[in-house]
Amino acid sequence: MTSSITPSTVQLEVVFPFRYPLRFAPAWFGNIVLPPDRVQAKVAYGGDACESLVGRVSVRNMLVLVDRGKCSFIQKAVHVEQAGGIGMLVANDSDDYFVMTEDGTGRGVRFSSFLISQSDANILKEELICDKDGALGGYGLRGGGCNPEGKGLYVAWGLGFQTRAHHKVV
């Protein structure tokens, strides 16, 4: 028996510098229930987040984009939380979706985590601010394209989104 996931587009979206709904699969660890209101935060890049981000990447009060691989999802989340991040986006290495699970260690976090496609992650990385040498966040982390002239990237999530009805005018 195979299970597949249909990604959601309702509760996670880029809100600045452009509007773009993000498809995602949730994590079955941390804060699984989305906040009742709409939460908005600047996005920071955290590399693979398999080592502590404290002192390496400035992520306090930010949603942190990390790359999939090299360690468990919960290890990445713990490092993001220890550094002050308020949520985590995991950039998949493909355009597939699946539910991220804990690693059996009993560790936990108090925020939401979302798996996004490689295509969507690449769109986000192109808008992240980097230095003239292409390092994201000023800490030597490289994550693909970035924008040295950028003003930052903001993403909103939660249940406080208004539903937009689309009506065909006859």
Side-chain angles (χ1 to χ4, degrees), residues 62-85:
M62 295 186 189
L63 180 62
V64 182
L65 175 64
V66 301
D67 294 321
R68 180 179 174 202
K70 299 185 183 175
C71 64
S72 70
F73 297 115
I74 194 72
Q75 183 174 349
K76 294 172 188 299
V78 166
H79 289 154
V80 167
E81 186 173 64
Q82 287 171 345

Side-chain angles (χ1 to χ4, degrees), residues 95-160:
D95 284 339
D96 297 325
Y97 298 91
F98 59 89
V99 174
M100 298 179 290
T101 59
E102 63 173 20
D103 59 7
T105 61
R107 297 178 294 176
V109 293
R110 295 179 301 274
F111 60 57
S112 299
S113 298
F114 310 97
L115 179 80
I116 61 172
S117 70
Q118 184 177 43
S119 297
D120 281 351
N122 289 340
I123 290 169
L124 300 186
K125 287 178 182 180
E126 288 175 6
E127 290 299 325
L128 292 175
I129 299 170
C130 62
D131 63 23
K132 61 182 173 51
D133 298 321
L136 292 164
Y139 293 88
L141 295 174
R142 304 227 180 268
C146 58
N147 185 354
E149 305 297 321
K151 293 184 171 76
L153 177 73
Y154 290 81
V155 169
W157 68 99
L159 299 175

